[in-house]
Amino acid sequence: MPQRLLPALVLSTAAAFTASGAAASSGDAWETFRAEVSKKCLAAATSLQKASAVVDPFGSESFGLALVIGTPKGSKAAVTQICVFDKKKKTVELGGELAPDTVKVGVPTKKK
């Protein structure tokens, strides 16, 4: 499978598995979950400068999922890493750095 399809596949699969469970939790709980995933993923991305995270709104049954975008220290080109957050253990793992020509991800602007 081409690497550029991997992030889209991960996020769409996660959304499909969690569609029914999303309605069962409160909006505040999901917002807290997304904030925790973002914080842990960004903390793990120590090799990246100016990192930002795009978090899957609900994750999968067992994992929170995010894309972390940033610039490796000493480089000018941004890269993307897949971050997997274990909901039970509260730990994260990062995938390798995916080059800009492999993954095209834009961080949405924050609503005012």
Side-chain angles (χ1 to χ4, degrees), residues 50-72:
K50 298 181 183 177
S52 59
V54 179
V55 179
D56 179 296
F58 308 108
S60 71
E61 186 173 331
S62 302
F63 302 101
L65 305 165
L67 298 175
V68 179
I69 302 108
T71 307

Side-chain angles (χ1 to χ4, degrees), residues 37-111:
V37 171
S38 180
K39 181 180 177 181
K40 295 263 186 163
C41 288
L42 291 172
T46 58
S47 67
L48 301 180
Q49 300 178 115
K50 298 181 183 177
S52 59
V54 179
V55 179
D56 179 296
F58 308 108
S60 71
E61 186 173 331
S62 302
F63 302 101
L65 305 165
L67 298 175
V68 179
I69 302 108
T71 307
K73 295 174 182 168
S75 176
K76 293 183 181 183
V79 297
T80 301
Q81 292 182 289
I82 299 170
C83 180
V84 179
F85 170 83
D86 187 304
K87 289 180 177 180
K88 289 182 182 176
K89 296 177 184 175
K90 305 288 186 185
T91 58
V92 297
E93 289 187 29
L94 292 174
E97 294 177 357
L98 302 170
D101 62 339
T102 305
V103 178
K104 305 234 186 282
V105 177
V107 177
T109 57
K110 293 186 179 184
K111 295 178 184 177

Side-chain angles (χ1 to χ4, degrees), residues 1-24:
M1 174 183 322
Q3 285 184 339
R4 67 175 183 246
L5 296 178
L6 186 58
L9 179 63
V10 168
L11 293 176
S12 64
T13 301
F17 282 131
T18 61
S20 62

Side-chain angles (χ1 to χ4, degrees), residues 18-32:
T18 61
S20 62
S25 295
S26 75
D28 288 343
W30 284 119
E31 189 58 39
T32 300

